[in-house]
Coordinates of all heavy atoms in Angstrom, one line a residue:
M1 N 27.0 -60.1 -6.2 CA 27.1 -59.0 -5.3 C 27.9 -57.9 -5.8 O 28.9 -58.1 -6.4 CB 27.5 -59.4 -3.9 CG 26.8 -60.3 -3.1 SD 26.0 -59.5 -1.8 CE 24.9 -60.8 -1.3
D2 N 27.5 -56.7 -5.6 CA 28.3 -55.5 -6.0 C 29.4 -55.3 -5.1 O 29.2 -55.4 -3.8 CB 27.5 -54.2 -6.1 CG 26.5 -54.4 -7.3 OD1 26.8 -55.1 -8.4 OD2 25.5 -53.7 -7.2
N3 N 30.6 -54.9 -5.5 CA 31.8 -54.7 -4.7 C 32.0 -53.2 -4.7 O 33.1 -52.6 -4.9 CB 33.0 -55.3 -5.2 CG 32.9 -56.9 -4.9 OD1 32.2 -57.3 -4.0 ND2 33.7 -57.6 -5.6
K4 N 30.9 -52.3 -4.3 CA 31.1 -50.9 -4.2 C 31.7 -50.5 -2.9 O 31.3 -51.1 -1.9 CB 29.7 -50.2 -4.4 CG 29.0 -50.5 -5.7 CD 27.8 -49.7 -5.9 CE 27.2 -50.0 -7.2 NZ 26.0 -49.4 -7.4
K5 N 32.4 -49.5 -3.0 CA 33.0 -48.9 -1.8 C 31.9 -47.9 -1.1 O 31.3 -47.2 -1.9 CB 34.3 -48.1 -2.0 CG 35.4 -49.0 -2.4 CD 36.7 -48.2 -2.6 CE 37.9 -49.1 -2.9 NZ 39.1 -48.3 -3.0
I6 N 31.8 -48.1 0.1 CA 31.0 -47.1 0.9 C 31.9 -46.1 1.5 O 32.9 -46.4 2.2 CB 30.2 -47.9 1.9 CG1 29.4 -48.9 1.3 CG2 29.4 -46.9 2.8 CD1 28.6 -49.8 2.3
T7 N 31.7 -44.8 1.0 CA 32.5 -43.8 1.6 C 31.7 -43.0 2.7 O 30.5 -42.9 2.5 CB 33.0 -42.8 0.6 OG1 31.8 -42.2 -0.1 CG2 33.9 -43.5 -0.5
S8 N 32.4 -42.6 3.6 CA 31.8 -41.8 4.6 C 31.7 -40.4 4.2 O 32.6 -39.8 3.7 CB 32.7 -42.0 6.0 OG 32.1 -41.1 7.0
T9 N 30.6 -39.9 4.6 CA 30.3 -38.3 4.4 C 30.4 -37.7 5.6 O 29.6 -36.6 6.0 CB 28.9 -38.1 3.7 OG1 28.0 -38.6 4.4 CG2 29.0 -38.7 2.3
K10 N 31.2 -38.2 6.5 CA 31.2 -37.5 7.9 C 31.9 -36.1 7.8 O 32.8 -35.8 7.0 CB 32.2 -38.3 8.7 CG 32.2 -37.8 10.2 CD 33.2 -38.7 11.0 CE 33.2 -38.3 12.5 NZ 34.1 -39.2 13.2
D11 N 31.2 -35.1 8.5 CA 31.7 -33.9 8.5 C 33.0 -33.6 9.3 O 33.0 -34.0 10.5 CB 30.6 -32.9 9.1 CG 30.8 -31.4 8.9 OD1 31.7 -31.0 8.2 OD2 30.2 -30.6 9.5
T12 N 34.0 -33.2 8.6 CA 35.3 -33.1 9.3 C 35.5 -31.7 9.8 O 36.6 -31.2 10.3 CB 36.5 -33.5 8.3 OG1 36.3 -32.6 7.2 CG2 36.3 -34.9 8.0
T13 N 34.5 -30.8 9.7 CA 34.7 -29.5 10.3 C 34.2 -29.2 11.7 O 33.3 -28.3 11.9 CB 34.0 -28.4 9.3 OG1 32.6 -28.8 9.2 CG2 34.6 -28.5 7.9
N14 N 34.5 -30.1 12.5 CA 34.1 -30.0 13.9 C 34.8 -28.8 14.5 O 35.9 -28.7 14.4 CB 34.5 -31.3 14.7 CG 33.7 -32.5 14.1 OD1 32.7 -32.5 13.7 ND2 34.4 -33.7 14.3
T15 N 33.9 -28.1 15.1 CA 34.3 -26.9 15.9 C 33.9 -26.9 17.2 O 32.8 -27.5 17.6 CB 33.8 -25.6 15.3 OG1 32.4 -25.6 15.2 CG2 34.4 -25.4 13.7
S16 N 34.7 -26.3 18.1 CA 34.3 -26.4 19.5 C 33.3 -25.3 19.8 O 33.1 -24.3 19.0 CB 35.7 -26.2 20.4 OG 36.0 -24.8 20.2
P17 N 32.6 -25.4 21.0 CA 31.6 -24.4 21.2 C 32.3 -23.1 21.4 O 31.7 -22.0 21.2 CB 31.0 -24.9 22.6 CG 31.3 -26.4 22.6 CD 32.6 -26.6 21.8
V18 N 33.5 -23.0 21.8 CA 34.2 -21.7 22.0 C 34.5 -21.0 20.7 O 34.2 -19.9 20.5 CB 35.5 -21.8 22.8 CG1 36.3 -20.7 22.8 CG2 35.4 -22.4 24.2
Q19 N 34.8 -21.8 19.7 CA 35.1 -21.3 18.4 C 33.7 -20.8 17.8 O 33.6 -19.8 17.2 CB 35.6 -22.4 17.5 CG 37.1 -22.6 17.7 CD 37.6 -23.8 16.9 OE1 36.9 -24.7 16.5 NE2 38.8 -23.9 16.7
D20 N 32.6 -21.6 18.0 CA 31.4 -21.2 17.6 C 30.9 -19.8 18.3 O 30.3 -18.9 17.6 CB 30.3 -22.2 17.8 CG 30.4 -23.4 16.9 OD1 31.0 -23.3 15.9 OD2 29.9 -24.5 17.3
F21 N 31.2 -19.7 19.6 CA 30.9 -18.4 20.2 C 31.5 -17.3 19.6 O 31.0 -16.2 19.4 CB 31.3 -18.6 21.7 CG 31.2 -17.4 22.4 CD1 29.9 -16.9 23.0 CD2 32.3 -16.6 22.8 CE1 29.9 -15.6 23.6 CE2 32.2 -15.4 23.5 CZ 31.0 -14.9 23.9
W22 N 32.9 -17.4 19.4 CA 33.6 -16.3 18.8 C 33.2 -15.9 17.3 O 33.2 -14.8 17.0 CB 35.1 -16.7 18.9 CG 35.6 -16.5 20.2 CD1 36.2 -17.5 21.0 CD2 35.7 -15.3 21.0 NE1 36.5 -17.1 22.2 CE2 36.2 -15.7 22.3 CE3 35.3 -14.0 21.0 CZ2 36.3 -14.8 23.3 CZ3 35.5 -13.1 22.0 CH2 36.0 -13.5 23.2
K23 N 32.8 -17.0 16.6 CA 32.3 -16.7 15.2 C 30.9 -16.0 15.3 O 30.7 -15.0 14.4 CB 32.1 -18.0 14.5 CG 33.5 -18.6 14.1 CD 33.2 -19.9 13.2 CE 34.4 -20.6 12.9 NZ 34.3 -21.8 12.1
N24 N 30.1 -16.4 16.2 CA 28.8 -15.8 16.3 C 29.0 -14.3 16.8 O 28.2 -13.4 16.5 CB 27.9 -16.5 17.3 CG 27.4 -17.8 16.6 OD1 27.4 -18.0 15.4 ND2 27.1 -18.7 17.4
L25 N 29.8 -14.1 17.8 CA 30.2 -12.7 18.3 C 30.6 -11.8 17.3 O 30.3 -10.7 17.1 CB 31.0 -12.8 19.5 CG 31.4 -11.5 20.2 CD1 30.0 -11.0 20.9 CD2 32.5 -11.7 21.3
A26 N 31.6 -12.4 16.4 CA 32.3 -11.6 15.3 C 31.1 -11.3 14.3 O 31.1 -10.1 13.8 CB 33.3 -12.4 14.7
S27 N 30.2 -12.2 14.0 CA 29.1 -11.9 13.0 C 28.1 -10.8 13.6 O 27.5 -10.1 12.9 CB 28.4 -13.0 12.6 OG 27.8 -13.6 13.6
L28 N 28.0 -10.8 14.9 CA 27.1 -9.9 15.6 C 27.6 -8.4 15.6 O 26.8 -7.5 15.5 CB 26.8 -10.3 17.0 CG 25.9 -9.5 17.9 CD1 24.4 -9.6 17.3 CD2 25.9 -9.9 19.3
L29 N 28.9 -8.3 15.6 CA 29.6 -7.0 15.7 C 29.8 -6.4 14.4 O 30.9 -6.2 13.9 CB 30.9 -7.0 16.6 CG 30.6 -7.5 18.0 CD1 32.0 -7.5 18.7 CD2 29.8 -6.5 18.7
K30 N 28.8 -6.2 13.7 CA 28.8 -5.4 12.4 C 28.2 -4.0 12.6 O 27.6 -3.8 13.6 CB 28.0 -6.2 11.3 CG 28.7 -7.6 11.1 CD 27.8 -8.3 10.0 CE 28.4 -9.6 9.9 NZ 27.7 -10.5 8.9
V31 N 28.6 -3.1 11.7 CA 28.2 -1.8 11.8 C 26.7 -1.5 12.0 O 26.2 -0.8 12.8 CB 28.7 -1.0 10.6 CG1 28.2 0.5 10.6 CG2 30.2 -1.0 10.5
K32 N 25.9 -2.2 11.2 CA 24.4 -2.1 11.4 C 24.0 -2.6 12.6 O 23.1 -1.9 13.3 CB 23.7 -2.9 10.2 CG 22.3 -2.6 10.1 CD 21.7 -3.2 8.8 CE 22.2 -4.6 8.4 NZ 21.5 -5.3 7.3
T33 N 24.5 -3.6 13.2 CA 24.1 -4.1 14.5 C 24.5 -3.0 15.6 O 23.7 -2.8 16.5 CB 24.8 -5.4 14.8 OG1 24.4 -6.3 13.7 CG2 24.3 -6.0 16.2
I34 N 25.7 -2.6 15.5 CA 26.2 -1.6 16.5 C 25.3 -0.4 16.5 O 24.8 0.1 17.6 CB 27.6 -1.3 16.3 CG1 28.5 -2.5 16.5 CG2 28.1 -0.2 17.2 CD1 29.9 -2.5 16.2
I35 N 25.0 0.1 15.3 CA 24.1 1.4 15.2 C 22.8 1.0 15.8 O 22.2 1.9 16.4 CB 24.1 1.8 13.7 CG1 25.4 2.4 13.3 CG2 22.9 2.8 13.6 CD1 25.5 2.7 11.9
T36 N 22.2 -0.1 15.5 CA 20.9 -0.4 16.0 C 20.9 -0.5 17.5 O 20.0 0.1 18.1 CB 20.3 -1.7 15.5 OG1 20.4 -1.7 14.0 CG2 19.0 -2.1 15.9
L37 N 21.8 -1.1 18.1 CA 21.9 -1.2 19.5 C 22.1 0.1 20.2 O 21.5 0.5 21.2 CB 23.0 -2.1 19.9 CG 22.8 -3.7 19.5 CD1 23.9 -4.5 19.9 CD2 21.5 -4.2 20.3
V38 N 22.9 1.0 19.6 CA 23.2 2.3 20.2 C 21.9 3.2 20.1 O 21.5 3.8 21.0 CB 24.3 3.1 19.4 CG1 24.4 4.5 19.7 CG2 25.7 2.3 19.7
I39 N 21.2 3.1 19.0 CA 20.0 3.9 18.8 C 18.9 3.4 19.9 O 18.3 4.2 20.6 CB 19.4 3.7 17.5 CG1 20.2 4.5 16.4 CG2 18.0 4.2 17.3 CD1 19.9 4.3 15.0
I40 N 18.9 2.2 20.0 CA 17.9 1.7 21.0 C 18.3 2.0 22.5 O 17.5 2.5 23.3 CB 17.8 0.1 21.0 CG1 17.0 -0.3 19.7 CG2 16.9 -0.5 22.1 CD1 15.8 0.3 19.4
A41 N 19.6 1.9 22.8 CA 20.1 2.3 24.1 C 19.8 3.8 24.3 O 19.4 4.2 25.5 CB 21.6 2.1 24.2
V42 N 20.1 4.7 23.4 CA 20.0 6.1 23.5 C 18.5 6.4 23.8 O 18.0 7.3 24.5 CB 20.5 6.9 22.3 CG1 20.0 8.3 22.3 CG2 22.1 6.9 22.3
L43 N 17.6 5.8 23.0 CA 16.2 6.1 23.1 C 15.6 5.6 24.4 O 14.8 6.2 25.1 CB 15.4 5.4 21.9 CG 15.6 6.0 20.6 CD1 14.9 5.1 19.6 CD2 14.9 7.4 20.6
A44 N 16.2 4.6 25.0 CA 15.7 4.0 26.3 C 16.2 5.0 27.4 O 15.5 5.3 28.3 CB 16.4 2.6 26.6
V45 N 17.5 5.5 27.3 CA 17.8 6.5 28.3 C 17.0 7.9 28.2 O 16.6 8.3 29.2 CB 19.4 6.7 28.1 CG1 19.8 8.0 28.9 CG2 20.3 5.6 28.4
L46 N 16.8 8.3 27.0 CA 16.0 9.4 26.8 C 14.4 9.3 27.4 O 13.9 10.1 28.0 CB 15.8 9.9 25.4 CG 17.1 10.4 24.8 CD1 16.9 10.8 23.3 CD2 17.5 11.8 25.6
S47 N 14.0 8.1 27.2 CA 12.7 7.8 27.7 C 12.6 7.6 29.3 O 11.7 8.1 29.9 CB 12.2 6.4 27.1 OG 10.9 6.1 27.6
I48 N 13.7 7.1 29.8 CA 13.8 7.0 31.3 C 14.0 8.4 31.9 O 13.4 8.6 33.0 CB 15.0 6.0 31.7 CG1 14.6 4.6 31.3 CG2 15.3 6.1 33.2 CD1 15.7 3.6 31.4
N49 N 14.7 9.2 31.2 CA 15.0 10.6 31.9 C 13.8 11.5 31.6 O 13.7 12.5 32.2 CB 16.2 11.2 31.1 CG 17.5 10.6 31.5 OD1 17.5 10.0 32.6 ND2 18.4 10.8 30.7
G50 N 12.8 11.1 30.8 CA 11.7 11.9 30.6 C 11.8 12.9 29.4 O 10.9 13.7 29.1
S51 N 12.9 12.7 28.7 CA 13.1 13.7 27.4 C 12.2 13.4 26.4 O 11.7 14.2 25.6 CB 14.5 13.5 27.0 OG 15.4 13.9 28.0
I52 N 11.8 12.1 26.2 CA 10.7 11.8 25.2 C 9.7 11.0 25.9 O 10.0 10.2 26.8 CB 11.4 11.0 23.9 CG1 12.0 9.6 24.4 CG2 12.3 11.8 23.2 CD1 12.5 8.8 23.2
E53 N 8.5 10.9 25.3 CA 7.4 10.1 26.0 C 7.6 8.7 25.6 O 8.0 8.3 24.5 CB 6.2 10.7 25.3 CG 5.8 12.1 25.7 CD 4.6 12.6 24.9 OE1 3.9 11.8 24.5 OE2 4.5 13.9 24.9
P54 N 7.2 7.8 26.5 CA 7.3 6.4 26.4 C 6.7 5.9 25.1 O 7.2 4.9 24.4 CB 6.8 5.7 27.6 CG 6.9 6.8 28.6 CD 6.8 8.1 27.9
D55 N 5.5 6.4 24.7 CA 4.9 5.9 23.5 C 5.7 6.3 22.2 O 5.6 5.5 21.3 CB 3.4 6.4 23.5 CG 3.3 7.8 23.3 OD1 4.2 8.6 23.8 OD2 2.3 8.3 22.8
K56 N 6.3 7.4 22.2 CA 7.2 7.8 21.1 C 8.4 6.8 21.1 O 8.8 6.4 20.0 CB 7.6 9.1 21.1 CG 6.4 10.2 21.0 CD 6.9 11.5 20.8 CE 5.7 12.5 20.8 NZ 4.8 12.5 19.7
F57 N 9.0 6.5 22.2 CA 10.1 5.6 22.3 C 9.7 4.1 21.7 O 10.4 3.6 20.8 CB 10.6 5.3 23.7 CG 11.3 4.1 23.9 CD1 12.7 4.2 23.5 CD2 10.8 3.0 24.5 CE1 13.5 3.1 23.6 CE2 11.7 1.8 24.6 CZ 13.0 1.8 24.2
L58 N 8.5 3.7 22.0 CA 8.1 2.5 21.6 C 7.9 2.5 20.1 O 8.3 1.5 19.4 CB 6.7 2.1 22.2 CG 6.1 0.7 21.9 CD1 7.1 -0.4 22.2 CD2 4.7 0.5 22.5
T59 N 7.4 3.6 19.6 CA 7.1 3.6 18.0 C 8.5 3.7 17.3 O 8.7 2.9 16.4 CB 6.4 4.9 17.7 OG1 5.0 5.0 18.4 CG2 6.1 5.1 16.2
I60 N 9.4 4.5 17.7 CA 10.7 4.6 17.1 C 11.5 3.4 17.3 O 12.1 2.8 16.4 CB 11.5 5.8 17.8 CG1 10.8 7.1 17.3 CG2 12.9 5.8 17.2 CD1 11.3 8.3 18.1
A61 N 11.5 2.8 18.5 CA 12.2 1.5 18.7 C 11.7 0.4 17.8 O 12.5 -0.4 17.3 CB 12.2 1.1 20.2
T62 N 10.4 0.3 17.8 CA 9.8 -0.8 16.9 C 10.2 -0.6 15.5 O 10.5 -1.6 14.8 CB 8.3 -0.7 17.0 OG1 7.9 -0.8 18.3 CG2 7.6 -1.7 16.2
M63 N 10.2 0.6 14.9 CA 10.6 0.9 13.5 C 12.1 0.5 13.3 O 12.4 0.0 12.3 CB 10.5 2.3 13.2 CG 8.9 2.7 13.1 SD 8.6 4.4 12.5 CE 10.0 5.3 12.5
V64 N 13.0 0.9 14.3 CA 14.4 0.6 14.1 C 14.6 -1.0 14.1 O 15.4 -1.5 13.4 CB 15.3 1.3 15.2 CG1 16.6 0.7 15.3 CG2 15.2 2.7 15.1
V65 N 14.0 -1.7 15.1 CA 14.3 -3.0 15.2 C 13.5 -3.9 13.9 O 14.2 -4.8 13.4 CB 13.6 -3.6 16.5 CG1 13.5 -5.1 16.5 CG2 14.4 -3.1 17.7
A66 N 12.3 -3.3 13.5 CA 11.8 -4.0 12.3 C 12.7 -3.7 11.1 O 12.8 -4.7 10.3 CB 10.4 -3.4 12.1
F67 N 13.2 -2.5 10.9 CA 14.1 -2.3 9.8 C 15.4 -3.3 9.9 O 15.8 -3.8 8.8 CB 14.6 -0.9 9.7 CG 15.5 -0.6 8.7 CD1 15.2 -0.5 7.4 CD2 16.9 -0.4 9.0 CE1 16.0 -0.3 6.3 CE2 17.8 -0.2 7.9 CZ 17.3 -0.1 6.6
Y68 N 15.9 -3.4 11.1 CA 17.2 -4.2 11.2 C 16.9 -5.7 10.9 O 17.5 -6.4 10.1 CB 17.6 -4.1 12.6 CG 18.7 -5.1 13.0 CD1 20.0 -4.8 12.5 CD2 18.6 -6.2 13.7 CE1 21.0 -5.6 12.7 CE2 19.7 -7.0 13.9 CZ 20.9 -6.9 13.5 OH 21.8 -7.6 13.7
F69 N 15.8 -6.2 11.4 CA 15.5 -7.5 11.2 C 14.9 -7.8 9.7 O 15.1 -8.8 9.0 CB 14.4 -8.2 12.2 CG 15.1 -8.5 13.5 CD1 14.7 -7.6 14.6 CD2 16.0 -9.5 13.6 CE1 15.4 -8.0 15.8 CE2 16.6 -9.8 14.8 CZ 16.3 -9.1 15.9
G70 N 14.3 -6.8 9.2 CA 13.9 -6.8 7.7 C 15.0 -6.9 6.8 O 15.0 -7.7 5.9
T71 N 16.0 -6.1 7.1 CA 17.2 -6.2 6.1 C 18.1 -7.5 6.4 O 18.6 -7.9 5.5 CB 18.1 -4.9 6.4 OG1 18.5 -4.9 7.7 CG2 17.4 -3.7 5.9
Q72 N 18.0 -8.0 7.6 CA 18.7 -9.3 7.9 C 18.1 -10.5 7.1 O 18.8 -11.3 6.6 CB 18.7 -9.6 9.4 CG 19.6 -8.7 10.2 CD 21.1 -8.9 10.0 OE1 21.5 -9.3 8.9 NE2 21.8 -8.8 11.0
S73 N 16.7 -10.5 7.1 CA 16.0 -11.6 6.4 C 16.2 -11.5 4.9 O 16.1 -12.5 4.2 CB 14.6 -11.6 6.7 OG 14.0 -10.4 6.2
E74 N 16.5 -10.3 4.3 CA 16.7 -10.2 2.8 C 17.9 -10.9 2.5 O 18.0 -11.4 1.4 CB 16.8 -8.7 2.5 CG 15.4 -8.0 2.5 CD 15.6 -6.6 2.0 OE1 16.6 -6.1 1.6 OE2 14.5 -5.8 2.1
K75 N 19.0 -10.9 3.2 CA 20.2 -11.4 2.9 C 20.2 -13.0 2.7 O 20.8 -13.5 1.9 CB 21.3 -11.1 3.9 CG 21.7 -9.6 4.0 CD 22.8 -9.4 4.9 CE 23.2 -8.0 5.1 NZ 24.2 -7.9 6.2
K76 N 19.5 -13.5 3.6 CA 19.4 -15.0 3.6 C 18.4 -15.6 2.7 O 17.2 -15.1 2.7 CB 19.1 -15.5 5.0 CG 20.3 -15.1 6.0 CD 19.9 -15.6 7.4 CE 21.0 -15.0 8.3 NZ 20.8 -15.3 9.7
P77 N 18.7 -16.5 1.8 CA 17.7 -17.1 0.9 C 16.6 -17.9 1.6 O 16.8 -18.5 2.5 CB 18.5 -17.9 -0.1 CG 19.9 -18.0 0.5 CD 20.0 -17.0 1.7

């Protein structure tokens, strides 16, 4: 019989759900995210007020969100 030691590969980086929440919130609050959310909010208010037509709002909002998620997916392999 082999007398090999069995070592545990247990992950010692246990984090609490609160720590995970704060890490996720910090990663969300980046300049690109803030700008995207502000643009969507402004366009929504302008559309509700009648300053721009809803179909133009939909087109612009779709482009902004598509650009945001398109650049996010480029970062991750």
Side-chain angles (χ1 to χ4, degrees):
M1 298 253 167
D2 292 332
N3 289 332
K4 294 181 180 180
K5 289 185 178 180
I6 299 174
T7 58
S8 175
T9 59
K10 185 177 181 181
D11 188 14
T12 58
T13 59
N14 292 335
T15 58
S16 71
V18 174
Q19 289 173 334
D20 288 339
F21 169 76
W22 287 113
K23 285 180 185 178
N24 290 337
L25 184 64
S27 67
L28 179 67
L29 296 177
K30 295 183 180 175
V31 174
K32 189 171 35 172
T33 305
I34 293 170
I35 290 172
T36 302
L37 294 174
V38 168
I39 289 172
I40 296 299
V42 168
L43 287 172
V45 169
L46 288 175
S47 179
I48 290 170
N49 288 340
S51 299
I52 62 173
E53 298 172 13
D55 62 331
K56 293 192 190 295
F57 164 74
L58 182 61
T59 303
I60 296 169
T62 303
M63 288 182 352
V64 169
V65 171
F67 176 76
Y68 174 75
F69 283 110
T71 56
Q72 290 288 32
S73 65
E74 284 180 10
K75 291 181 181 178
K76 297 178 184 178

